[in-house]
Amino acid sequence: MKLTTGTRNNRPVFVAVSTYEERTIPKSAGFWWDPEARRWWTGDPAIASKLSEVADDAAKVELARATAQVEASQRASAEIDIPRPDGLDYLPFQKAGIAYALEREAVLIGDEMGLGKTIQALGVLNSTPPDRLRNVLVICPASLKINWKRETEKWLVHDMPVRIVNGAGIGPGINIVNYDVLGKFSAIKEIEWDVLIVDEAHFLKNSKSLRSKHVYGSKKRDKDQIAPIRAKRKLFLTGTPIVNRPIELFPIINYLRPDEFGSFWTYAKRYTGAVYTRFGTDFSGATNLDELQLRLRRVLMVRRLKEDVLRELPPKIRQVVEVSANGCESTVRREREAWSFHQERLETLRVNAELAKAGSEEDYRAAVDALRDGARSAFTEIAKARHDTAVAKIPYVIEHLQEALEEHDKMVVFAHHHDVIDAIHARSEERRVGKECTIQC
């Protein structure tokens, strides 16, 4: 038995040379039999590594290279100089993620939530020369568009426009658009984007959904033909790259690396344990997951867990998630007007109280009583206005929770008003979030 290298369809592969009696060894390892060339082969180093003990020099070199690629995908630091704005810096593991991404044209950044996938994507943009960064498209959930714009303007070192695509059209620079409106802008398909960033990429796990078709393109057999989004560099971000069912991962990696994950049936047989039933083929299983993860890390995925980089993280990370005021502008305006009115009124009453010190004791007491009454009135009215704003935000909070629960099984929600908590809980039950949501107040 010997492991060596070769080519198949002009692609490099590993070849297992064995006798007839040894045929079960490469077969059980996952090698494929080529009846024409009469040899066992695989293009996957994760499979080939199972026969590393019998590898020749050429195979050892290729296996070592693949091992280095896997290690790079989980590295917690990197010696690399990445452009950044004054006063900001990347954490060591974020530098490692950016370094990994810069070596590939298609990358899945699968770090756990809270490790700064957005910052790593922006680090890739900062490391790209401006003449190769004229057109950038960011696709994200609607609730994250404002956050993407704010973070981009904070971290980007290039002088280029950053726009949220709503009523306005597509233009040069960085265009931020949500999944639900991809079909409304034909220019998205007409442009070959310099960089395509897809946040919360697990939203595209179902290739039959309309939003997936607007990214991947439709199948030839579909009645309505939809063109795919074309891009020179692709960055997909998700905190859940290994889903419970590997079949849901295939549309994403097939779009990112069709050269590596081009055959649906080959992938399905190897990693879903495809079972033929009287109702059709069942792809809901999961097999050879360790091999799949190694293959993903070697080819396109960088993933670190919080426990891997915990020493580099601050004790607590606070993030303000802005939501659109669409539909509740009047409520927000009333709160701001109430705040401004009472601030001005209280300032006047404070000044009157200070001036009254120079007068009689009766005048001073009256001024203090007026200030106290004004403060009570302000507290009551502003509290009511803030409560109205909190109630108005409930649908947007629900939407954000549902999107966040795509990445996590549990969340803890804190809120000030009990009726707001009750409403969030009721709406969560009503819309069947599908995962446990622990709510405390």
Side-chain angles (χ1 to χ4, degrees), residues 93-94 109 111-121 313 317:
F93 70 88
Q94 292 172 341
I109 300 180
D111 288 340
E112 265 194 306
M113 187 177 183
L115 296 187
K117 294 185 288 293
T118 300
I119 294 173
Q120 292 177 66
L313 294 177
I317 299 175

Side-chain angles (χ1 to χ4, degrees), residues 218-223 225:
S218 57
K219 304 296 183 183
K220 292 182 179 180
R221 62 178 178 270
D222 290 350
K223 180 179 179 181
Q225 289 299 302

